[in-house]
């Protein structure tokens, strides 16, 4: 029986754990013990923080795992590739890991390889910007986090120092990026790579709260993109993946497209998208088992070739307030055939500050975009 190490035990990793078990693979899951779902569903669970990569390496060597992976977590990517490197397993290089998890290094790689991307400045304090001419609006973000944590848009210099401190507080490396704000529509691209050959699977349209924090309110897949623009997006994403040295596994590329069709890569993670994009929406919309492909690559098998087995429209909407709950009750009442999964906390008191403390979600799927688009949030 093959043995697979999985980094993380939250609901994000649950599809990975269950898929591996359905494939007859023994699952060894690593995370702090806090009562997450993966602690119970794993064949073997180890109470080790996902950032303690040396301890996890020692345990994986003792177990003799055949592969290691994680989904939807930039933080876990560091440990995945560290263990893979030292055990001779399939993974991306330590250098590539740095490029894909450190946004400043990522920007430098994009610039060196002429990948269209926003300009940015690395800072520790507001004084680091003395003498620097900033063209507002700007975005301030942590150097090494995802999930909309610590992101602030500023239209002028008021609040700049606080935004920098907030970004630093959210990160593990206590630095922040100050970068130009890129206007346009927001999308993400899910890809699977094998030996440096990248297969772009799907383009997702992103819905957010807008300024100042841009927390995701929903996702729709596939996005309504014309064929010529889709080809251009895939070309830019491939260029970005090559520049970061990503050779294996899932990737999640975030980008913006302005009204003239100009594309800028915001960032690329060497893992599948969270928010149910990679774990649910890809399979619902095109029929491709993205989670299985991640496991196959980790175990050293070339993933199945990408074909569109079916074309449907899939989406997720997140719960922020009572209005969102009301829309959920509406679809549940008038179009329950489009509901595929949901988890709702009806106690919606308090402010949603990032993607980790939203009050639930519901996933939809229909044959036509019109089946579900009315149940999605307005985009800002």
């Amino acid at each position: 029986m093959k043995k697979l190490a999985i980094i993380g035990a939250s609901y994000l990793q649950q599809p990975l754990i269950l898929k591996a078990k359905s494939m007859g693979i023994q699952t060894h899951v690593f995370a702090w013990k806090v009562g997450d779902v993966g602690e119970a569903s794993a064949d073997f669970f180890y109470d080790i923080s996902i950032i303690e990569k040396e301890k996890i390496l020692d345990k994986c060597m003792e177990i003799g795992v055949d592969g290691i992976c994680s989904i939807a977590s930039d933080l876990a990517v560091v440990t995945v590739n560290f263990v893979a490197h030292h055990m001779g397993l399939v993974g991306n290089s330590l250098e590539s890991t740095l490029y894909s998890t450190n946004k400043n290094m990522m920007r430098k790689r994009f610039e060196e390889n002429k990948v269209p991307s926003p300009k940015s400045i690395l800072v520790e304090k507001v004084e680091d910007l003395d003498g620097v001419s900033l063209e507002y609006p700007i975005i301030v973000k942590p150097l090494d986090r995802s999930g909309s944590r610590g992101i602030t848009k500023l239209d002028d210099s008021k609040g700049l120092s606080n935004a920098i401190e907030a970004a630093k507080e959210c990160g593990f490396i206590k630095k922040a990026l100050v970068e130009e704000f890129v206007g346009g529509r927001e999308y993400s691209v899910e890809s699977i790579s094998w030996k440096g050959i990248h297969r772009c699977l799907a383009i997702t349209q992103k819905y957010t709260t807008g300024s100042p924090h841009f927390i995701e309110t929903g996702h729709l897949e596939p996005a309504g993109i014309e064929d010529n623009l889709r080809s251009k997006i895939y070309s830019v994403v491939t260029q970005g993946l090559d520049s970061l040295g990503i050779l294996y596994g899932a990737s999640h590329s975030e980008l913006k497209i302005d009204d003239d069709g100009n594309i800028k890569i915001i960032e690329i993670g060497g893992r599948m998208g969270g928010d149910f994009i990679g774990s649910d929406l890809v399979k619902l919309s095109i029929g491709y088992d993205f989670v299985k492909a991640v496991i196959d690559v980790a175990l050293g098998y070339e993933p199945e070739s990408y074909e569109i087995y079916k074309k449907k429209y899939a989406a997720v909407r997140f719960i922020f307030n009572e209005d969102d709950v009301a829309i959920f009750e509406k679809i549940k009442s008038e179009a329950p055939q489009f509901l595929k999964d949901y988890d709702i906390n009806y106690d919606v008191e308090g402010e949603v500050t990032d993607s980790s403390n939203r009050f639930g979600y519901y996933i939809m799927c229909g044959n036509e975009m019109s089946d579900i688009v009315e149940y999605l949030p307005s985009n800002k």
Side-chain angles (χ1 to χ4, degrees), residues 196-213:
I197 303 299
H198 313 298
R199 302 167 186 169
C200 296
L201 303 175
I203 301 174
T204 307
Q205 181 176 345
K206 180 187 293 188
Y207 296 75
T208 78
T209 57
S211 181
H213 301 304

PDB file of all heavy atoms in Angstrom, residues 196-213:
ATOM      1  N   GLY A 196       7.507  20.061 -15.988  1.00  0.00           N
ATOM      2  CA  GLY A 196       7.599  21.383 -16.599  1.00  0.00           C
ATOM      3  C   GLY A 196       6.601  21.649 -17.702  1.00  0.00           C
ATOM      4  O   GLY A 196       6.604  22.733 -18.291  1.00  0.00           O
ATOM      5  N   ILE A 197       5.741  20.678 -17.990  1.00  0.00           N
ATOM      6  CA  ILE A 197       4.670  20.888 -18.969  1.00  0.00           C
ATOM      7  C   ILE A 197       3.411  21.282 -18.196  1.00  0.00           C
ATOM      8  O   ILE A 197       2.947  20.541 -17.329  1.00  0.00           O
ATOM      9  CB  ILE A 197       4.399  19.625 -19.801  1.00  0.00           C
ATOM     10  CG1 ILE A 197       5.686  19.184 -20.513  1.00  0.00           C
ATOM     11  CG2 ILE A 197       3.279  19.876 -20.805  1.00  0.00           C
ATOM     12  CD1 ILE A 197       6.251  20.202 -21.477  1.00  0.00           C
ATOM     13  N   HIS A 198       2.878  22.455 -18.516  1.00  0.00           N
ATOM     14  CA  HIS A 198       1.763  23.001 -17.765  1.00  0.00           C
ATOM     15  C   HIS A 198       0.449  22.825 -18.530  1.00  0.00           C
ATOM     16  O   HIS A 198       0.369  23.148 -19.718  1.00  0.00           O
ATOM     17  CB  HIS A 198       1.988  24.489 -17.485  1.00  0.00           C
ATOM     18  CG  HIS A 198       3.353  24.807 -16.976  1.00  0.00           C
ATOM     19  ND1 HIS A 198       3.834  24.301 -15.785  1.00  0.00           N
ATOM     20  CD2 HIS A 198       4.358  25.559 -17.509  1.00  0.00           C
ATOM     21  CE1 HIS A 198       5.078  24.740 -15.599  1.00  0.00           C
ATOM     22  NE2 HIS A 198       5.406  25.498 -16.632  1.00  0.00           N
ATOM     23  N   ARG A 199      -0.559  22.325 -17.838  1.00  0.00           N
ATOM     24  CA  ARG A 199      -1.887  22.175 -18.428  1.00  0.00           C
ATOM     25  C   ARG A 199      -2.844  23.091 -17.670  1.00  0.00           C
ATOM     26  O   ARG A 199      -3.166  22.832 -16.513  1.00  0.00           O
ATOM     27  CB  ARG A 199      -2.356  20.722 -18.324  1.00  0.00           C
ATOM     28  CG  ARG A 199      -1.416  19.725 -18.988  1.00  0.00           C
ATOM     29  CD  ARG A 199      -1.766  18.310 -18.577  1.00  0.00           C
ATOM     30  NE  ARG A 199      -0.788  17.361 -19.106  1.00  0.00           N
ATOM     31  CZ  ARG A 199      -0.717  16.081 -18.736  1.00  0.00           C
ATOM     32  NH1 ARG A 199      -1.565  15.611 -17.842  1.00  0.00           N
ATOM     33  NH2 ARG A 199       0.184  15.290 -19.253  1.00  0.00           N
ATOM     34  N   CYS A 200      -3.236  24.179 -18.319  1.00  0.00           N
ATOM     35  CA  CYS A 200      -4.196  25.091 -17.703  1.00  0.00           C
ATOM     36  C   CYS A 200      -5.581  24.474 -17.784  1.00  0.00           C
ATOM     37  O   CYS A 200      -6.055  24.124 -18.869  1.00  0.00           O
ATOM     38  CB  CYS A 200      -4.162  26.442 -18.401  1.00  0.00           C
ATOM     39  SG  CYS A 200      -2.590  27.320 -18.230  1.00  0.00           S
ATOM     40  N   LEU A 201      -6.226  24.320 -16.647  1.00  0.00           N
ATOM     41  CA  LEU A 201      -7.486  23.582 -16.568  1.00  0.00           C
ATOM     42  C   LEU A 201      -8.710  24.477 -16.661  1.00  0.00           C
ATOM     43  O   LEU A 201      -9.653  24.167 -17.380  1.00  0.00           O
ATOM     44  CB  LEU A 201      -7.541  22.795 -15.256  1.00  0.00           C
ATOM     45  CG  LEU A 201      -6.403  21.807 -14.999  1.00  0.00           C
ATOM     46  CD1 LEU A 201      -6.528  21.207 -13.603  1.00  0.00           C
ATOM     47  CD2 LEU A 201      -6.408  20.694 -16.052  1.00  0.00           C
ATOM     48  N   ALA A 202      -8.712  25.562 -15.913  1.00  0.00           N
ATOM     49  CA  ALA A 202      -9.928  26.372 -15.837  1.00  0.00           C
ATOM     50  C   ALA A 202      -9.604  27.789 -15.403  1.00  0.00           C
ATOM     51  O   ALA A 202      -8.645  28.023 -14.656  1.00  0.00           O
ATOM     52  CB  ALA A 202     -10.923  25.746 -14.866  1.00  0.00           C
ATOM     53  N   ILE A 203     -10.409  28.726 -15.876  1.00  0.00           N
ATOM     54  CA  ILE A 203     -10.325  30.127 -15.462  1.00  0.00           C
ATOM     55  C   ILE A 203     -11.541  30.435 -14.589  1.00  0.00           C
ATOM     56  O   ILE A 203     -12.680  30.133 -14.958  1.00  0.00           O
ATOM     57  CB  ILE A 203     -10.301  31.076 -16.666  1.00  0.00           C
ATOM     58  CG1 ILE A 203      -9.099  30.756 -17.573  1.00  0.00           C
ATOM     59  CG2 ILE A 203     -10.238  32.536 -16.203  1.00  0.00           C
ATOM     60  CD1 ILE A 203      -9.069  31.558 -18.859  1.00  0.00           C
ATOM     61  N   THR A 204     -11.296  31.011 -13.435  1.00  0.00           N
ATOM     62  CA  THR A 204     -12.342  31.313 -12.465  1.00  0.00           C
ATOM     63  C   THR A 204     -12.504  32.821 -12.323  1.00  0.00           C
ATOM     64  O   THR A 204     -11.515  33.538 -12.200  1.00  0.00           O
ATOM     65  CB  THR A 204     -11.986  30.716 -11.092  1.00  0.00           C
ATOM     66  OG1 THR A 204     -11.689  29.327 -11.241  1.00  0.00           O
ATOM     67  CG2 THR A 204     -13.115  30.891 -10.100  1.00  0.00           C
ATOM     68  N   GLN A 205     -13.729  33.296 -12.336  1.00  0.00           N
ATOM     69  CA  GLN A 205     -13.993  34.703 -12.065  1.00  0.00           C
ATOM     70  C   GLN A 205     -14.135  34.904 -10.565  1.00  0.00           C
ATOM     71  O   GLN A 205     -14.817  34.145  -9.889  1.00  0.00           O
ATOM     72  CB  GLN A 205     -15.268  35.168 -12.768  1.00  0.00           C
ATOM     73  CG  GLN A 205     -15.570  36.648 -12.545  1.00  0.00           C
ATOM     74  CD  GLN A 205     -16.780  37.126 -13.336  1.00  0.00           C
ATOM     75  OE1 GLN A 205     -17.232  36.441 -14.251  1.00  0.00           O
ATOM     76  NE2 GLN A 205     -17.307  38.279 -12.984  1.00  0.00           N
ATOM     77  N   LYS A 206     -13.472  35.945 -10.059  1.00  0.00           N
ATOM     78  CA  LYS A 206     -13.465  36.204  -8.625  1.00  0.00           C
ATOM     79  C   LYS A 206     -14.432  37.345  -8.287  1.00  0.00           C
ATOM     80  O   LYS A 206     -14.492  38.354  -8.978  1.00  0.00           O
ATOM     81  CB  LYS A 206     -12.051  36.569  -8.177  1.00  0.00           C
ATOM     82  CG  LYS A 206     -11.920  36.856  -6.693  1.00  0.00           C
ATOM     83  CD  LYS A 206     -10.540  37.365  -6.323  1.00  0.00           C
ATOM     84  CE  LYS A 206      -9.460  36.329  -6.508  1.00  0.00           C
ATOM     85  NZ  LYS A 206      -8.157  36.773  -5.958  1.00  0.00           N
ATOM     86  N   TYR A 207     -15.165  37.161  -7.194  1.00  0.00           N
ATOM     87  CA  TYR A 207     -16.022  38.204  -6.634  1.00  0.00           C
ATOM     88  C   TYR A 207     -15.435  38.610  -5.282  1.00  0.00           C
ATOM     89  O   TYR A 207     -15.071  37.735  -4.481  1.00  0.00           O
ATOM     90  CB  TYR A 207     -17.447  37.689  -6.436  1.00  0.00           C
ATOM     91  CG  TYR A 207     -18.164  37.322  -7.712  1.00  0.00           C
ATOM     92  CD1 TYR A 207     -17.860  36.143  -8.395  1.00  0.00           C
ATOM     93  CD2 TYR A 207     -19.152  38.145  -8.233  1.00  0.00           C
ATOM     94  CE1 TYR A 207     -18.523  35.797  -9.565  1.00  0.00           C
ATOM     95  CE2 TYR A 207     -19.823  37.812  -9.405  1.00  0.00           C
ATOM     96  CZ  TYR A 207     -19.505  36.634 -10.064  1.00  0.00           C
ATOM     97  OH  TYR A 207     -20.160  36.299 -11.227  1.00  0.00           O
ATOM     98  N   THR A 208     -15.324  39.909  -5.015  1.00  0.00           N
ATOM     99  CA  THR A 208     -14.722  40.365  -3.763  1.00  0.00           C
ATOM    100  C   THR A 208     -15.540  41.486  -3.132  1.00  0.00           C
ATOM    101  O   THR A 208     -16.449  42.050  -3.745  1.00  0.00           O
ATOM    102  CB  THR A 208     -13.277  40.887  -3.972  1.00  0.00           C
ATOM    103  OG1 THR A 208     -13.309  42.218  -4.519  1.00  0.00           O
ATOM    104  CG2 THR A 208     -12.480  39.971  -4.885  1.00  0.00           C
ATOM    105  N   THR A 209     -15.157  41.811  -1.899  1.00  0.00           N
ATOM    106  CA  THR A 209     -15.774  42.933  -1.194  1.00  0.00           C
ATOM    107  C   THR A 209     -15.323  44.274  -1.760  1.00  0.00           C
ATOM    108  O   THR A 209     -15.889  45.308  -1.408  1.00  0.00           O
ATOM    109  CB  THR A 209     -15.412  42.899   0.298  1.00  0.00           C
ATOM    110  OG1 THR A 209     -13.979  42.924   0.429  1.00  0.00           O
ATOM    111  CG2 THR A 209     -15.950  41.655   0.979  1.00  0.00           C
ATOM    112  N   GLY A 210     -14.293  44.255  -2.609  1.00  0.00           N
ATOM    113  CA  GLY A 210     -13.738  45.504  -3.100  1.00  0.00           C
ATOM    114  C   GLY A 210     -12.861  46.177  -2.061  1.00  0.00           C
ATOM    115  O   GLY A 210     -12.475  45.574  -1.054  1.00  0.00           O
ATOM    116  N   SER A 211     -12.568  47.446  -2.298  1.00  0.00           N
ATOM    117  CA  SER A 211     -11.684  48.208  -1.415  1.00  0.00           C
ATOM    118  C   SER A 211     -12.296  48.340  -0.011  1.00  0.00           C
ATOM    119  O   SER A 211     -13.518  48.476   0.123  1.00  0.00           O
ATOM    120  CB  SER A 211     -11.462  49.596  -2.024  1.00  0.00           C
ATOM    121  OG  SER A 211     -10.602  50.368  -1.235  1.00  0.00           O
ATOM    122  N   PRO A 212     -11.475  48.279   1.060  1.00  0.00           N
ATOM    123  CA  PRO A 212     -10.015  48.273   1.017  1.00  0.00           C
ATOM    124  C   PRO A 212      -9.354  46.893   1.136  1.00  0.00           C
ATOM    125  O   PRO A 212      -8.161  46.770   0.924  1.00  0.00           O
ATOM    126  CB  PRO A 212      -9.646  49.118   2.242  1.00  0.00           C
ATOM    127  CG  PRO A 212     -10.728  48.790   3.233  1.00  0.00           C
ATOM    128  CD  PRO A 212     -11.978  48.593   2.416  1.00  0.00           C
ATOM    129  N   HIS A 213     -10.125  45.822   1.473  1.00  0.00           N
ATOM    130  CA  HIS A 213      -9.473  44.558   1.828  1.00  0.00           C
ATOM    131  C   HIS A 213      -9.639  43.432   0.802  1.00  0.00           C
ATOM    132  O   HIS A 213      -8.946  42.425   0.887  1.00  0.00           O
ATOM    133  CB  HIS A 213      -9.978  44.084   3.195  1.00  0.00           C
ATOM    134  CG  HIS A 213      -9.716  45.060   4.296  1.00  0.00           C
ATOM    135  ND1 HIS A 213      -8.454  45.542   4.598  1.00  0.00           N
ATOM    136  CD2 HIS A 213     -10.574  45.678   5.156  1.00  0.00           C
ATOM    137  CE1 HIS A 213      -8.537  46.397   5.604  1.00  0.00           C
ATOM    138  NE2 HIS A 213      -9.798  46.504   5.953  1.00  0.00           N
TER     139      HIS A 213
END
